[in-house]
Amino acid sequence: MFNLVVLTGRLTADPELRYTANNTAVTSFSIAVSRRYKAGEEAQADFINIVAWRQTAEFVTKYFQKGSMIGIEGSIQTRRYVDKETGKNRTAFEVIANNVQFVESKRDSAAPVGEAPAAFSNAGANDFTDLSGEGDDDLPF
């Protein structure tokens, strides 16, 4: 069997580092992951809960904050618990992060969420030479 998840998204809040009774670092956070949508429909996002342990947790809390783009490789884990308000059994789905990566440069991460990075430019996008139909007789195939 195989349980592998690869996600890229933006943190929805600043991650907070906590420690277990055994002094093991842990952080829980969620990321917003864009979902494909059809033309004319409003963009949609899924909010995925992530848990990182030990050095990965320390790395995430040190270098990422709300709005940062992050790449995550991990596995899905289910956790059962009793809802304190209703007393009903519930199941939580979360991704246990094995590896995390920067997805944007430090300079780009300063751009507000939803805006193009400062280094992005469309200048020159239409500055090309149209070669269609020119010299087709000289092609070897």
Side-chain angles (χ1 to χ4, degrees):
M1 294 196 203
F2 198 63
N3 182 354
L4 176 67
V5 175
V6 178
L7 299 166
T8 302
R10 293 197 181 275
L11 273 75
T12 61
D14 290 340
E16 295 182 24
L17 188 62
R18 300 182 319 272
Y19 291 91
T20 65
N22 296 337
N23 205 30
T24 302
V26 63
T27 187
S28 300
F29 56 95
S30 67
I31 61 172
V33 178
S34 297
R35 186 180 329 145
R36 292 185 184 194
Y37 57 94
K38 296 179 185 174
E41 290 182 359
E42 190 173 321
Q44 298 178 358
D46 293 308
F47 297 89
I48 312 292
N49 293 323
I50 312 291
V51 177
W53 292 90
R54 298 172 186 78
Q55 292 89 352
T56 304
E58 292 169 346
F59 180 79
V60 169
T61 56
K62 182 175 181 180
Y63 293 107
F64 293 89
Q65 69 244 355
K66 180 179 180 177
S68 296
M69 183 72 81
I70 189 171
I72 296 174
E73 177 267 318
S75 59
I76 294 177
Q77 175 178 296
T78 58
R79 181 173 41 86
R80 298 185 192 284
Y81 66 96
V82 176
D83 187 331
K84 293 180 181 179
E85 293 181 21
T86 64
K88 293 185 179 183
N89 292 330
R90 301 279 185 202
T91 303
F93 292 85
E94 52 200 11
V95 172
I96 305 302
N98 296 326
N99 296 303
V100 298
Q101 297 178 0
F102 295 105
V103 178
E104 58 191 354
S105 69
K106 187 172 182 177
R107 179 179 54 178
D108 294 344
S109 66
V113 177
E115 289 187 18
F120 179 80
S121 172
N122 278 332
N126 293 323
D127 296 342
F128 63 92
T129 304
D130 185 3
L131 298 176
S132 62
E134 285 189 21
D136 286 349
D137 296 334
D138 297 337
L139 296 176
F141 49 91

